[in-house]
Amino acid sequence: MFQSFENKSSPEQGPPRLAALREAMAAAQVDGWLVPRADVHQGEYVAPGDERLAWLTGFTGSAGFAAITQDKAGVFVDGRYRTQVRSQTDTGAFQPVDWPETKLAQWLRAALPDGGRVGFDPWLHTLKEMDDLARALSGTGIECVPHANLIDSIWPDRPAPPLGKITTYPDDLAGKTSAEKRAELAERLKAQGHRAAVLTLPDSIAWLLNIRGADIPRNPIPHAFAILHDDTRVELYVHPDKLDALPANCTKDGVSAHADTGFTAALTILLSPVRIDPASIPVAVVETLRQTGIDAAHEVDPCILPKACKTEAEIAATRAAHLRDGAAVCEALSWLDAQAPGTITEMDVVTRLEEARRATGKLLDISFDTIAGGGPNGALAHYRVSETSNRTLQEGDLLVLDGGGQYLDGTTDITRTLPIGTPGTDERAAFTRVLQGMIAISRLRFPKGLAGRDMDALARYPLWLADQDYAHGTGHGVGVYLCVHEGPQRISRASETPLQPGMILSNEPGYYREGHFGIRIENLLVVQHAAPLPGSDPADSAAGRLAFETLNFVPIDRRLIDVAMLAQPEIDWINAYHAQCREKISPLLGPDASEWLDRAAAPL
């Protein structure tokens, strides 16, 4: 199994560890300390040795941070994790803080009314983050000061850095060689007058060099730094123990590999100006450039947008991965439907789904720990079943099943909500509203230039009519055999990046009733040029329209749909989608699952 069911949270360890941190703060002469969930590469995912937030507080969610003073300790989480943080931390020692409703600066002002020194590790915080915080604290007397990491000084058995092998990613799946990508980006650097760009995000480096890694579970990325020069050269910096095992394309055609211990020194000899992304560059890198007198140009990581706009080869590959994965999910759901309520657990479902994906012979990893939340556990949007939380699925439960696979040709992610036995009336009504929002996004045609923030409300509108909502974005970007969460594209109130052809996004509205049930329905979509409609305005046709192509093909559970709530175009969409499921997936299934699919995807 890729997934384990170990309970990784130790809330009872929180108070003594907090006491040790406060002693270290006193010795360092700081009045506060910031604990992010971050590493030196500033990606979303971190290795065990960088799980400082979880080690200190017990909270294991994938997003959040803590602020510690001598008499207060706040753990900041968004709406996805507010139930989870209360269950995983000692709330007598740690105060859950609703973020972003409560800003860090606001909290620090209340915690340090007379001012003070707040320490932070400059490798674990970005330039934008700390500049924003400094502005918000202006006039308070509170000063943020860089310092060696205090958590590391009190963590006696901190895991060693990962040493995953770096491998080559096939050019035919990438659609472009590394040399072609580097030449395109180098031309853009020249056009903007930038001599080099500093890259710290592992997925950017993996994409640019057509390599993959194994340093982070579920995400095939290498821990590395890189410097891209305006003459197409790239200097790659990795752990010294990885150098001898690097693939050939890391040391040819203008790519040189070095030990990461030399990265800081390499920064000091760059020619100005150097491009850095304030949203991902660690403060320590910025300070090194500043102290050396090297001018920094603040621009977005040059790999971000080209990586997000997939090539035709990447899109074709990910289509194939989703058909394979869809067949595996259908095999697992066929099995699930044959089990009587009260006879299987959440862990059984996770295990069976992974077995089905493994049976394809192509699974390299799961793309994240599978979410299988039954009944009240389904109300935790990012629930991870453990041996201590494992629930037997009972009559009347809803099961939120959200998982994905990492295949060489694509990264998959899909959520289905399933009834265990006979669903209730409230559950069916809420499910249908969520489905209506999901269909609205799936059917959308839109002008070029619109961003995810312009679409997010469409998915929520049916829920809003019933005074319901969900506390997460509607969709995130997805890579191709890279990270299942990829920027900059999102369908979210906060997303300002215009959607472009080739971008892959999730479409996953939901609804969560704490203590009772959860609902989420998710497909992945790829942005495509939309064909003109008959009778459309010529000016609009000339301007062009975009639309979404659906990648996942697994039936949406008909037992949870209140057909009377649907408009005819919504019914037509479901029937057309289910017809595609039968056409595309049936040939890939065994006899039992094929019969199940015929029933599950029958017309409404």
Side-chain angles (χ1 to χ4, degrees), residues 322-338 414 416 418 552-559 574-604:
H322 279 82
L323 292 179
R324 181 189 314 120
D325 191 75
V329 175
C330 286
E331 293 280 0
L333 295 189
S334 170
W335 166 86
L336 176 63
D337 258 8
I414 184 171
R416 290 295 181 263
L418 310 154
N552 306 83
F553 293 99
V554 172
I556 296 162
D557 204 292
R558 297 162 71 253
R559 295 166 293 185
I574 295 169
N575 286 339
Y577 176 71
H578 280 171
Q580 287 184 298
C581 291
R582 295 193 303 273
E583 176 189 351
K584 294 175 180 292
I585 301 298
S586 286
L588 307 177
L589 300 177
D592 291 344
S594 182
E595 290 181 12
W596 171 88
L597 179 58
D598 285 342
R599 295 191 303 271
L604 292 178

Short mmCIF file of all heavy atoms in Angstrom, two decimals, residues 322-338 414 416 418 552-559 574-604:
data_model
loop_
_atom_site.label_atom_id
_atom_site.label_comp_id
_atom_site.label_asym_id
_atom_site.label_seq_id
_atom_site.Cartn_x
_atom_site.Cartn_y
_atom_site.Cartn_z
N HIS A 322 -6.57 9.18 -17.54
CA HIS A 322 -7.88 9.28 -16.91
C HIS A 322 -8.82 8.16 -17.33
O HIS A 322 -9.67 7.72 -16.53
CB HIS A 322 -8.51 10.65 -17.21
CG HIS A 322 -8.00 11.73 -16.31
ND1 HIS A 322 -6.82 12.38 -16.54
CD2 HIS A 322 -8.50 12.25 -15.17
CE1 HIS A 322 -6.62 13.28 -15.59
NE2 HIS A 322 -7.62 13.21 -14.74
N LEU A 323 -8.71 7.67 -18.55
CA LEU A 323 -9.52 6.51 -18.94
C LEU A 323 -9.11 5.29 -18.13
O LEU A 323 -9.95 4.54 -17.62
CB LEU A 323 -9.37 6.25 -20.44
CG LEU A 323 -9.97 7.30 -21.37
CD1 LEU A 323 -9.73 6.90 -22.82
CD2 LEU A 323 -11.46 7.47 -21.10
N ARG A 324 -7.82 5.07 -18.01
CA ARG A 324 -7.32 3.94 -17.21
C ARG A 324 -7.76 4.07 -15.76
O ARG A 324 -8.24 3.11 -15.14
CB ARG A 324 -5.78 3.93 -17.30
CG ARG A 324 -5.11 2.80 -16.54
CD ARG A 324 -3.60 2.99 -16.51
NE ARG A 324 -3.07 3.35 -17.81
CZ ARG A 324 -2.42 4.48 -18.06
NH1 ARG A 324 -2.23 5.37 -17.08
NH2 ARG A 324 -1.96 4.74 -19.26
N ASP A 325 -7.62 5.28 -15.23
CA ASP A 325 -7.99 5.52 -13.83
C ASP A 325 -9.50 5.40 -13.64
O ASP A 325 -9.96 4.87 -12.62
CB ASP A 325 -7.50 6.90 -13.41
CG ASP A 325 -7.59 7.12 -11.91
OD1 ASP A 325 -6.76 6.57 -11.19
OD2 ASP A 325 -8.52 7.84 -11.47
N GLY A 326 -10.28 5.89 -14.62
CA GLY A 326 -11.72 5.79 -14.51
C GLY A 326 -12.19 4.35 -14.45
O GLY A 326 -13.12 4.01 -13.70
N ALA A 327 -11.55 3.49 -15.23
CA ALA A 327 -11.90 2.07 -15.18
C ALA A 327 -11.58 1.49 -13.81
O ALA A 327 -12.36 0.70 -13.26
CB ALA A 327 -11.15 1.32 -16.27
N ALA A 328 -10.45 1.88 -13.23
CA ALA A 328 -10.10 1.38 -11.89
C ALA A 328 -11.12 1.85 -10.85
O ALA A 328 -11.53 1.07 -9.98
CB ALA A 328 -8.69 1.86 -11.52
N VAL A 329 -11.54 3.11 -10.93
CA VAL A 329 -12.53 3.62 -9.98
C VAL A 329 -13.86 2.87 -10.15
O VAL A 329 -14.51 2.50 -9.16
CB VAL A 329 -12.72 5.14 -10.15
CG1 VAL A 329 -13.84 5.64 -9.24
CG2 VAL A 329 -11.43 5.88 -9.85
N CYS A 330 -14.26 2.60 -11.38
CA CYS A 330 -15.50 1.86 -11.61
C CYS A 330 -15.41 0.44 -11.05
O CYS A 330 -16.39 -0.07 -10.49
CB CYS A 330 -15.82 1.83 -13.10
SG CYS A 330 -16.45 3.40 -13.76
N GLU A 331 -14.28 -0.20 -11.19
CA GLU A 331 -14.10 -1.52 -10.59
C GLU A 331 -14.29 -1.46 -9.07
O GLU A 331 -14.97 -2.31 -8.48
CB GLU A 331 -12.72 -2.08 -10.93
CG GLU A 331 -12.48 -2.41 -12.39
CD GLU A 331 -13.09 -3.75 -12.80
OE1 GLU A 331 -13.69 -4.44 -11.94
OE2 GLU A 331 -12.96 -4.11 -13.98
N ALA A 332 -13.72 -0.42 -8.45
CA ALA A 332 -13.84 -0.28 -6.99
C ALA A 332 -15.28 0.04 -6.59
O ALA A 332 -15.79 -0.48 -5.58
CB ALA A 332 -12.89 0.80 -6.49
N LEU A 333 -15.96 0.89 -7.35
CA LEU A 333 -17.34 1.24 -6.99
C LEU A 333 -18.28 0.06 -7.22
O LEU A 333 -19.28 -0.10 -6.49
CB LEU A 333 -17.79 2.45 -7.81
CG LEU A 333 -17.05 3.76 -7.56
CD1 LEU A 333 -17.73 4.91 -8.28
CD2 LEU A 333 -16.93 4.05 -6.07
N SER A 334 -17.99 -0.76 -8.22
CA SER A 334 -18.78 -1.97 -8.43
C SER A 334 -18.67 -2.89 -7.21
O SER A 334 -19.68 -3.44 -6.74
CB SER A 334 -18.30 -2.68 -9.69
OG SER A 334 -18.87 -3.97 -9.81
N TRP A 335 -17.47 -3.03 -6.72
CA TRP A 335 -17.25 -3.83 -5.49
C TRP A 335 -17.99 -3.21 -4.31
O TRP A 335 -18.66 -3.92 -3.53
CB TRP A 335 -15.75 -3.91 -5.20
CG TRP A 335 -15.43 -4.40 -3.82
CD1 TRP A 335 -15.32 -5.70 -3.42
CD2 TRP A 335 -15.20 -3.60 -2.65
NE1 TRP A 335 -15.04 -5.77 -2.08
CE2 TRP A 335 -14.96 -4.49 -1.58
CE3 TRP A 335 -15.18 -2.23 -2.41
CZ2 TRP A 335 -14.69 -4.05 -0.28
CZ3 TRP A 335 -14.91 -1.78 -1.13
CH2 TRP A 335 -14.68 -2.68 -0.08
N LEU A 336 -17.89 -1.89 -4.17
CA LEU A 336 -18.53 -1.21 -3.03
C LEU A 336 -20.03 -1.43 -3.03
O LEU A 336 -20.63 -1.68 -1.97
CB LEU A 336 -18.20 0.29 -3.09
CG LEU A 336 -18.86 1.17 -2.03
CD1 LEU A 336 -18.40 0.78 -0.63
CD2 LEU A 336 -18.54 2.64 -2.29
N ASP A 337 -20.65 -1.35 -4.18
CA ASP A 337 -22.10 -1.51 -4.25
C ASP A 337 -22.55 -2.91 -3.85
O ASP A 337 -23.72 -3.10 -3.48
CB ASP A 337 -22.58 -1.20 -5.67
CG ASP A 337 -23.21 0.19 -5.77
OD1 ASP A 337 -23.12 0.95 -4.78
OD2 ASP A 337 -23.77 0.52 -6.82
N ALA A 338 -21.66 -3.86 -3.94
CA ALA A 338 -22.02 -5.24 -3.59
C ALA A 338 -21.88 -5.54 -2.10
O ALA A 338 -22.23 -6.63 -1.65
CB ALA A 338 -21.15 -6.21 -4.40
N ILE A 414 -10.32 12.56 -8.60
CA ILE A 414 -11.76 12.44 -8.81
C ILE A 414 -12.44 12.23 -7.47
O ILE A 414 -11.89 11.57 -6.58
CB ILE A 414 -12.09 11.27 -9.77
CG1 ILE A 414 -13.59 11.23 -10.07
CG2 ILE A 414 -11.57 9.95 -9.25
CD1 ILE A 414 -13.96 10.26 -11.18
N ARG A 416 -16.31 11.17 -5.80
CA ARG A 416 -17.69 10.77 -5.91
C ARG A 416 -18.27 10.63 -4.50
O ARG A 416 -17.59 10.15 -3.59
CB ARG A 416 -17.85 9.45 -6.68
CG ARG A 416 -17.52 9.56 -8.17
CD ARG A 416 -18.50 10.45 -8.89
NE ARG A 416 -18.24 10.56 -10.33
CZ ARG A 416 -17.57 11.55 -10.88
NH1 ARG A 416 -17.04 12.51 -10.14
NH2 ARG A 416 -17.41 11.59 -12.20
N LEU A 418 -21.25 8.82 -2.38
CA LEU A 418 -21.98 7.56 -2.59
C LEU A 418 -22.87 7.26 -1.40
O LEU A 418 -22.46 7.45 -0.25
CB LEU A 418 -20.97 6.42 -2.79
CG LEU A 418 -19.90 6.74 -3.84
CD1 LEU A 418 -18.64 5.95 -3.57
CD2 LEU A 418 -20.44 6.47 -5.23
N ASN A 552 -12.49 13.10 -16.61
CA ASN A 552 -12.89 11.91 -15.84
C ASN A 552 -14.18 11.31 -16.39
O ASN A 552 -15.09 12.05 -16.78
CB ASN A 552 -13.14 12.26 -14.36
CG ASN A 552 -11.97 12.96 -13.72
OD1 ASN A 552 -11.83 14.15 -13.86
ND2 ASN A 552 -11.15 12.22 -13.00
N PHE A 553 -14.26 9.99 -16.35
CA PHE A 553 -15.49 9.32 -16.80
C PHE A 553 -15.86 8.21 -15.82
O PHE A 553 -15.51 7.04 -16.01
CB PHE A 553 -15.31 8.80 -18.22
CG PHE A 553 -15.18 9.91 -19.22
CD1 PHE A 553 -13.93 10.31 -19.68
CD2 PHE A 553 -16.30 10.60 -19.67
CE1 PHE A 553 -13.80 11.35 -20.57
CE2 PHE A 553 -16.18 11.65 -20.56
CZ PHE A 553 -14.93 12.03 -21.01
N VAL A 554 -16.58 8.61 -14.78
CA VAL A 554 -17.09 7.70 -13.75
C VAL A 554 -18.50 8.18 -13.43
O VAL A 554 -18.71 9.38 -13.22
CB VAL A 554 -16.22 7.72 -12.48
CG1 VAL A 554 -16.87 6.92 -11.36
CG2 VAL A 554 -14.82 7.18 -12.79
N PRO A 555 -19.49 7.30 -13.38
CA PRO A 555 -20.87 7.76 -13.16
C PRO A 555 -21.05 8.56 -11.88
O PRO A 555 -20.36 8.32 -10.88
CB PRO A 555 -21.68 6.46 -13.11
CG PRO A 555 -20.84 5.45 -13.80
CD PRO A 555 -19.41 5.85 -13.56
N ILE A 556 -21.96 9.50 -11.94
CA ILE A 556 -22.41 10.25 -10.77
C ILE A 556 -23.60 9.50 -10.19
O ILE A 556 -24.52 9.13 -10.94
CB ILE A 556 -22.79 11.69 -11.17
CG1 ILE A 556 -21.54 12.42 -11.69
CG2 ILE A 556 -23.41 12.44 -9.99
CD1 ILE A 556 -21.86 13.65 -12.50
N ASP A 557 -23.60 9.25 -8.89
CA ASP A 557 -24.58 8.32 -8.32
C ASP A 557 -26.01 8.82 -8.50
O ASP A 557 -26.41 9.84 -7.93
CB ASP A 557 -24.28 8.08 -6.85
CG ASP A 557 -24.85 6.75 -6.40
OD1 ASP A 557 -26.09 6.63 -6.36
OD2 ASP A 557 -24.07 5.83 -6.12
N ARG A 558 -26.78 8.08 -9.30
CA ARG A 558 -28.14 8.47 -9.63
C ARG A 558 -29.08 8.39 -8.44
O ARG A 558 -30.11 9.07 -8.39
CB ARG A 558 -28.67 7.59 -10.77
CG ARG A 558 -27.90 7.75 -12.06
CD ARG A 558 -28.11 6.61 -13.06
NE ARG A 558 -29.46 6.66 -13.63
CZ ARG A 558 -30.42 5.80 -13.31
NH1 ARG A 558 -30.20 4.85 -12.40
NH2 ARG A 558 -31.60 5.90 -13.88
N ARG A 559 -28.74 7.55 -7.45
CA ARG A 559 -29.61 7.39 -6.29
C ARG A 559 -29.68 8.64 -5.43
O ARG A 559 -30.59 8.82 -4.63
CB ARG A 559 -29.14 6.20 -5.44
CG ARG A 559 -29.25 4.85 -6.14
CD ARG A 559 -28.46 3.78 -5.43
NE ARG A 559 -27.03 4.01 -5.50
CZ ARG A 559 -26.10 3.17 -5.03
NH1 ARG A 559 -26.48 2.04 -4.45
NH2 ARG A 559 -24.82 3.45 -5.13
N ILE A 574 -26.25 15.29 -17.83
CA ILE A 574 -25.97 14.05 -17.09
C ILE A 574 -26.12 12.84 -18.00
O ILE A 574 -25.26 11.93 -18.02
CB ILE A 574 -26.92 13.92 -15.88
CG1 ILE A 574 -26.64 15.04 -14.87
CG2 ILE A 574 -26.76 12.55 -15.21
CD1 ILE A 574 -27.68 15.15 -13.79
N ASN A 575 -27.19 12.79 -18.79
CA ASN A 575 -27.38 11.64 -19.66
C ASN A 575 -26.28 11.54 -20.71
O ASN A 575 -25.81 10.44 -21.03
CB ASN A 575 -28.75 11.73 -20.34
CG ASN A 575 -29.89 11.41 -19.37
OD1 ASN A 575 -29.68 10.77 -18.34
ND2 ASN A 575 -31.08 11.85 -19.70
N ALA A 576 -25.86 12.69 -21.26
CA ALA A 576 -24.77 12.66 -22.24
C ALA A 576 -23.46 12.23 -21.59
O ALA A 576 -22.69 11.45 -22.18
CB ALA A 576 -24.62 14.04 -22.89
N TYR A 577 -23.22 12.72 -20.37
CA TYR A 577 -22.00 12.34 -19.66
C TYR A 577 -22.00 10.84 -19.36
O TYR A 577 -20.99 10.15 -19.56
CB TYR A 577 -21.87 13.16 -18.37
CG TYR A 577 -20.68 12.75 -17.52
CD1 TYR A 577 -19.38 13.04 -17.92
CD2 TYR A 577 -20.87 12.06 -16.32
CE1 TYR A 577 -18.29 12.65 -17.15
CE2 TYR A 577 -19.79 11.68 -15.54
CZ TYR A 577 -18.50 11.97 -15.96
OH TYR A 577 -17.43 11.59 -15.21
N HIS A 578 -23.10 10.33 -18.89
CA HIS A 578 -23.18 8.90 -18.58
C HIS A 578 -23.05 8.05 -19.85
O HIS A 578 -22.47 6.95 -19.81
CB HIS A 578 -24.47 8.59 -17.83
CG HIS A 578 -24.38 8.93 -16.38
ND1 HIS A 578 -25.46 8.91 -15.53
CD2 HIS A 578 -23.33 9.29 -15.60
CE1 HIS A 578 -25.08 9.25 -14.31
NE2 HIS A 578 -23.79 9.49 -14.33
N ALA A 579 -23.56 8.53 -20.97
CA ALA A 579 -23.37 7.80 -22.23
C ALA A 579 -21.89 7.73 -22.59
O ALA A 579 -21.40 6.69 -23.07
CB ALA A 579 -24.16 8.48 -23.34
N GLN A 580 -21.15 8.82 -22.35
CA GLN A 580 -19.71 8.81 -22.59
C GLN A 580 -19.01 7.83 -21.65
O GLN A 580 -18.06 7.16 -22.05
CB GLN A 580 -19.14 10.21 -22.41
CG GLN A 580 -19.47 11.17 -23.52
CD GLN A 580 -18.76 12.50 -23.31
OE1 GLN A 580 -18.99 13.21 -22.32
NE2 GLN A 580 -17.88 12.86 -24.22
N CYS A 581 -19.46 7.78 -20.39
CA CYS A 581 -18.87 6.82 -19.44
C CYS A 581 -19.02 5.40 -19.97
O CYS A 581 -18.06 4.61 -19.94
CB CYS A 581 -19.53 6.95 -18.07
SG CYS A 581 -19.17 8.48 -17.18
N ARG A 582 -20.21 5.06 -20.42
CA ARG A 582 -20.43 3.71 -20.94
C ARG A 582 -19.57 3.45 -22.17
O ARG A 582 -18.94 2.39 -22.30
CB ARG A 582 -21.90 3.50 -21.28
CG ARG A 582 -22.84 3.56 -20.07
CD ARG A 582 -24.23 3.05 -20.41
NE ARG A 582 -24.86 3.77 -21.51
CZ ARG A 582 -25.57 4.87 -21.39
NH1 ARG A 582 -25.74 5.41 -20.18
NH2 ARG A 582 -26.12 5.46 -22.44
N GLU A 583 -19.52 4.43 -23.08
CA GLU A 583 -18.78 4.24 -24.32
C GLU A 583 -17.28 4.10 -24.07
O GLU A 583 -16.61 3.23 -24.67
CB GLU A 583 -19.04 5.43 -25.25
CG GLU A 583 -18.23 5.39 -26.54
CD GLU A 583 -18.36 6.69 -27.33
OE1 GLU A 583 -19.20 7.54 -26.97
OE2 GLU A 583 -17.61 6.86 -28.31
N LYS A 584 -16.72 4.96 -23.21
CA LYS A 584 -15.28 5.01 -23.04
C LYS A 584 -14.74 3.98 -22.05
O LYS A 584 -13.62 3.48 -22.21
CB LYS A 584 -14.86 6.42 -22.58
CG LYS A 584 -15.10 7.52 -23.61
CD LYS A 584 -14.78 8.89 -23.03
CE LYS A 584 -15.00 10.01 -24.02
NZ LYS A 584 -14.03 9.97 -25.14
N ILE A 585 -15.53 3.67 -21.01
CA ILE A 585 -15.00 2.87 -19.92
C ILE A 585 -15.42 1.40 -20.00
O ILE A 585 -14.65 0.51 -19.61
CB ILE A 585 -15.45 3.47 -18.56
CG1 ILE A 585 -14.95 4.91 -18.43
CG2 ILE A 585 -14.92 2.63 -17.40
CD1 ILE A 585 -13.44 5.07 -18.45
N SER A 586 -16.59 1.10 -20.53
CA SER A 586 -17.06 -0.30 -20.57
C SER A 586 -16.05 -1.26 -21.18
O SER A 586 -15.83 -2.36 -20.64
CB SER A 586 -18.39 -0.39 -21.32
OG SER A 586 -19.44 0.11 -20.54
N PRO A 587 -15.40 -0.91 -22.30
CA PRO A 587 -14.45 -1.86 -22.89
C PRO A 587 -13.25 -2.18 -21.99
O PRO A 587 -12.53 -3.16 -22.26
CB PRO A 587 -13.99 -1.16 -24.17
CG PRO A 587 -15.07 -0.17 -24.48
CD PRO A 587 -15.58 0.28 -23.15
N LEU A 588 -13.02 -1.37 -20.97
CA LEU A 588 -11.86 -1.55 -20.10
C LEU A 588 -12.18 -2.34 -18.84
O LEU A 588 -11.29 -2.59 -18.02
CB LEU A 588 -11.29 -0.17 -19.70
CG LEU A 588 -10.99 0.79 -20.85
CD1 LEU A 588 -10.50 2.13 -20.28
CD2 LEU A 588 -9.94 0.20 -21.78
N LEU A 589 -13.44 -2.76 -18.67
CA LEU A 589 -13.90 -3.35 -17.42
C LEU A 589 -14.07 -4.87 -17.53
O LEU A 589 -14.31 -5.41 -18.61
CB LEU A 589 -15.23 -2.73 -16.99
CG LEU A 589 -15.25 -1.23 -16.74
CD1 LEU A 589 -16.67 -0.78 -16.39
CD2 LEU A 589 -14.28 -0.86 -15.61
N GLY A 590 -14.01 -5.52 -16.36
CA GLY A 590 -14.39 -6.91 -16.27
C GLY A 590 -15.90 -7.05 -16.34
O GLY A 590 -16.64 -6.06 -16.26
N PRO A 591 -16.40 -8.28 -16.44
CA PRO A 591 -17.85 -8.50 -16.63
C PRO A 591 -18.71 -7.90 -15.52
O PRO A 591 -19.73 -7.25 -15.81
CB PRO A 591 -17.97 -10.03 -16.67
CG PRO A 591 -16.61 -10.51 -17.09
CD PRO A 591 -15.64 -9.54 -16.51
N ASP A 592 -18.34 -8.11 -14.27
CA ASP A 592 -19.17 -7.60 -13.17
C ASP A 592 -19.22 -6.08 -13.17
O ASP A 592 -20.29 -5.47 -13.02
CB ASP A 592 -18.64 -8.10 -11.82
CG ASP A 592 -18.84 -9.59 -11.64
OD1 ASP A 592 -19.64 -10.18 -12.40
OD2 ASP A 592 -18.20 -10.18 -10.74
N ALA A 593 -18.06 -5.45 -13.33
CA ALA A 593 -18.03 -3.98 -13.33
C ALA A 593 -18.72 -3.42 -14.56
O ALA A 593 -19.34 -2.35 -14.50
CB ALA A 593 -16.58 -3.49 -13.26
N SER A 594 -18.65 -4.13 -15.68
CA SER A 594 -19.34 -3.67 -16.88
C SER A 594 -20.85 -3.67 -16.69
O SER A 594 -21.55 -2.72 -17.09
CB SER A 594 -18.96 -4.55 -18.07
OG SER A 594 -19.57 -4.09 -19.25
N GLU A 595 -21.37 -4.72 -16.05
CA GLU A 595 -22.80 -4.76 -15.75
C GLU A 595 -23.17 -3.64 -14.78
O GLU A 595 -24.22 -3.00 -14.91
CB GLU A 595 -23.17 -6.12 -15.17
CG GLU A 595 -23.11 -7.26 -16.16
CD GLU A 595 -23.51 -8.57 -15.54
OE1 GLU A 595 -24.07 -8.55 -14.39
OE2 GLU A 595 -23.28 -9.63 -16.15
N TRP A 596 -22.31 -3.42 -13.79
CA TRP A 596 -22.56 -2.33 -12.83
C TRP A 596 -22.62 -0.99 -13.54
O TRP A 596 -23.50 -0.17 -13.27
CB TRP A 596 -21.45 -2.32 -11.76
CG TRP A 596 -21.53 -1.13 -10.88
CD1 TRP A 596 -22.25 -0.99 -9.73
CD2 TRP A 596 -20.86 0.14 -11.08
NE1 TRP A 596 -22.08 0.26 -9.20
CE2 TRP A 596 -21.24 0.98 -10.00
CE3 TRP A 596 -19.99 0.62 -12.04
CZ2 TRP A 596 -20.76 2.28 -9.89
CZ3 TRP A 596 -19.52 1.92 -11.92
CH2 TRP A 596 -19.90 2.74 -10.86
N LEU A 597 -21.68 -0.76 -14.46
CA LEU A 597 -21.65 0.52 -15.18
C LEU A 597 -22.91 0.72 -16.00
O LEU A 597 -23.44 1.84 -16.06
CB LEU A 597 -20.41 0.59 -16.06
CG LEU A 597 -20.24 1.86 -16.90
CD1 LEU A 597 -20.19 3.10 -16.01
CD2 LEU A 597 -18.98 1.79 -17.76
N ASP A 598 -23.39 -0.31 -16.64
CA ASP A 598 -24.63 -0.18 -17.41
C ASP A 598 -25.78 0.29 -16.53
O ASP A 598 -26.60 1.12 -16.96
CB ASP A 598 -24.99 -1.51 -18.06
CG ASP A 598 -24.10 -1.84 -19.25
OD1 ASP A 598 -23.46 -0.90 -19.78
OD2 ASP A 598 -24.04 -3.01 -19.65
N ARG A 599 -25.85 -0.22 -15.31
CA ARG A 599 -26.92 0.21 -14.39
C ARG A 599 -26.66 1.62 -13.87
O ARG A 599 -27.56 2.46 -13.82
CB ARG A 599 -27.03 -0.77 -13.22
CG ARG A 599 -27.45 -2.17 -13.60
CD ARG A 599 -27.78 -2.98 -12.35
NE ARG A 599 -26.67 -3.04 -11.41
CZ ARG A 599 -25.72 -3.97 -11.42
NH1 ARG A 599 -25.74 -4.93 -12.35
NH2 ARG A 599 -24.75 -3.97 -10.52
N ALA A 600 -25.40 1.87 -13.46
CA ALA A 600 -25.07 3.14 -12.81
C ALA A 600 -25.15 4.31 -13.77
O ALA A 600 -25.43 5.45 -13.35
CB ALA A 600 -23.67 3.06 -12.20
N ALA A 601 -24.91 4.05 -15.06
CA ALA A 601 -24.88 5.13 -16.05
C ALA A 601 -26.11 5.09 -16.96
O ALA A 601 -26.09 5.65 -18.06
CB ALA A 601 -23.61 5.03 -16.88
N ALA A 602 -27.18 4.47 -16.50
CA ALA A 602 -28.41 4.46 -17.29
C ALA A 602 -28.98 5.87 -17.36
O ALA A 602 -28.78 6.68 -16.45
CB ALA A 602 -29.42 3.50 -16.66
N PRO A 603 -29.72 6.19 -18.42
CA PRO A 603 -30.29 7.54 -18.53
C PRO A 603 -31.25 7.83 -17.38
O PRO A 603 -31.91 6.94 -16.86
CB PRO A 603 -31.03 7.50 -19.86
CG PRO A 603 -30.40 6.37 -20.63
CD PRO A 603 -29.99 5.36 -19.61
N LEU A 604 -31.32 9.10 -16.99
CA LEU A 604 -32.28 9.52 -15.97
C LEU A 604 -33.69 9.44 -16.55
O LEU A 604 -33.90 9.74 -17.73
CB LEU A 604 -31.98 10.95 -15.52
CG LEU A 604 -30.69 11.18 -14.73
CD1 LEU A 604 -30.53 12.66 -14.41
CD2 LEU A 604 -30.68 10.35 -13.45
#
